[in-house]
């Protein structure tokens, strides 16, 4: 049985906006490595400042970025 | 951060470790000589003597209440049992010291790889091991020392006592061991906090 997780929907949002991870990295000034960690669900926590920059660059709400996955 | 002084400390402790190994070998050699050859003017068995005559030793306005002395007893001829008891008297302490030094040197050897390598789960494990080495080694040293000294005194001295209190180093070793376990736990919890921070994007 897998644990419930918070998933960062970066993949979907990037696809919808036809944007690459490198482009997003340049816009939000977060390294591609750290964005990959977020995208792949390996991050333990996310700062409000990071969330704000991502929402700003992707023109979305925090709720659009995060999703709670039940097992 | 600069790890120069840690590297120097590691070199110094490595030197101490090598010297201690030679010291242990010389003690082992002395024990073998006592057991199988016999010494007439070489290394003897160190023992504590109480109720030493003190007449005339005190100043006119002072009184000596009790006195003890360290004596070195040389058994005449080969004495295998004395050799074995002498081994039990010194070996646990020496082995504990060597293992503790070796563990510290191993822990410090990670300093050259950087701070993150030093402040790691491996170092926490080394510190925990060091703690248990000090606690178990000190207790074994005290216990075996008390038994061995009691038996050696009854064999080599005309007057012996039922109980020889272990030296203060035993308690100091146990306290140092407990302190090492505490430091290990602090490092472990600090690492958990650091990993939490590092995994925050």
């Amino acid at each position: 049985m897998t644990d419930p997780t918070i998933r960062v929907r970066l993949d979907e949002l990037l696809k919808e906006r036809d944007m690459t991870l490198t482009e997003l990295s340049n816009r939000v000034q977060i390294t591609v490595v750290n964005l990959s960690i977020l995208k792949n669900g390996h991050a333990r926590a996310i700062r409000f400042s990071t969330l704000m920059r991502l929402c700003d660059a992707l023109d979305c709400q925090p709720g659009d970025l995060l999703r709670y996955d039940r097992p | 951060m600069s790890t120069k002084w840690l590297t120097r400390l590691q070199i110094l402790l490595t030197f101490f470790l090598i010297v201690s190994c030679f010291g242990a070998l010389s003690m082992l050699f002395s024990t073998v000589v006592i057991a199988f050859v016999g010494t007439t003017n070489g290394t003897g068995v160190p023992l504590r003597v109480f109720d030493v005559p003190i007449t005339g030793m005190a100043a006119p306005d002072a009184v000596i209440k009790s006195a003890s002395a360290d004596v070195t007893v040389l058994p005449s001829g080969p004495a295998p049992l004395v050799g074995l008891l002498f081994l039990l008297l010194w070996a646990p302490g020496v082995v504990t010291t060597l293992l503790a030094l070796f563990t510290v040197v191993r822990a410090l050897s990670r300093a050259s790889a950087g701070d993150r390598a030093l402040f790691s789960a491996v170092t926490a494990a080394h510190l925990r091991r060091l703690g248990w080495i000090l606690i178990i080694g000190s207790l074994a040293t005290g216990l075996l020392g008390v038994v061995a000294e009691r038996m050696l005194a009854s064999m080599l001295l005309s007057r012996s006592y039922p109980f020889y209190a272990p030296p203060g180093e035993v308690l100091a070793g146990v306290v140092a061991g407990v302190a090492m376990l505490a430091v290990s736990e602090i490092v472990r919890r600090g690492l958990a906090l650091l990993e939490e921070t590092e995994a925050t994007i």
Side-chain angles (χ1 to χ4, degrees), chain A residues 34 38 43-47 50, chain B residues 192 195-201:
Chain A
N34 278 344
L38 270 180
R44 290 262 186 92
I46 182 164
R47 290 190 187 88
T50 307
Chain B
E195 279 168 10
E196 195 83 22
T197 310
E198 281 177 347
T200 302
I201 310 291

Side-chain angles (χ1 to χ4, degrees), chain B residues 1 3 6 15 21 45 53 94 108 110 112 119 125 131 140 146 172 190:
Chain B
M1 283 170 83
T3 54
L6 278 177
F15 175 72
C21 283
V45 179
V94 170
L108 287 177
R110 300 177 64 80
S112 56
F119 192 71
V146 165

Side-chain angles (χ1 to χ4, degrees), chain B:
Chain B
M1 283 170 83
S2 171
T3 54
K4 206 178 275 181
W5 78 269
L6 278 177
T7 311
R8 284 176 186 161
L9 183 65
Q10 189 204 346
I11 293 167
L12 192 68
L13 288 176
T14 307
F15 175 72
F16 278 140
L17 182 62
I18 293 166
V19 170
S20 301
C21 283
F22 281 120
L25 282 175
S26 76
M27 287 294 285
L28 197 62
F29 178 73
S30 304
T31 308
V32 170
V33 168
I34 288 172
F36 301 110
V37 182
T39 55
T40 49
N41 54 2
T43 307
V45 179
L47 290 170
R48 284 177 287 176
V49 177
F50 303 95
D51 299 330
V52 178
I54 47 172
T55 315
M57 284 180 73
D61 56 345
V63 177
I64 298 174
K65 284 192 77 177
S66 64
S68 62
D70 291 325
V71 295
T72 303
V73 187
L74 302 172
S76 52
L81 187 58
V82 171
L84 178 69
L85 290 170
F86 181 47
L87 187 73
L88 290 178
L89 195 64
W90 65 263
V94 170
V95 170
T96 303
T97 307
L98 289 178
L99 283 176
L101 270 175
F102 180 66
T103 310
V104 175
V105 168
R106 273 191 71 191
L108 287 177
S109 67
R110 300 177 64 80
S112 56
D115 288 344
R116 200 64 186 81
L118 189 63
F119 192 71
S120 63
V122 179
T123 304
H126 278 137
L127 288 173
R128 193 166 56 246
R129 193 173 305 133
L130 177 63
W132 284 116
I133 286 170
L134 286 173
I135 291 172
I136 295 170
S138 299
L139 289 176
T141 303
L143 194 69
L144 291 173
V146 165
V147 174
E149 192 173 9
R150 162 84 179 84
M151 290 177 77
L152 280 169
S154 65
M155 289 166 70
L156 299 172
L157 299 175
S158 59
R159 185 179 174 188
S160 65
Y161 298 87
F163 180 73
Y164 288 82
E169 288 87 0
V170 171
L171 182 64
V174 173
V175 171
V178 172
M180 282 301 129
L181 289 182
V183 172
S184 156
E185 186 60 20
I186 289 167
V187 171
R188 206 181 60 79
R189 291 188 186 199
L191 267 173
L193 282 174
L194 185 64
E195 279 168 10
E196 195 83 22
T197 310
E198 281 177 347
T200 302
I201 310 291

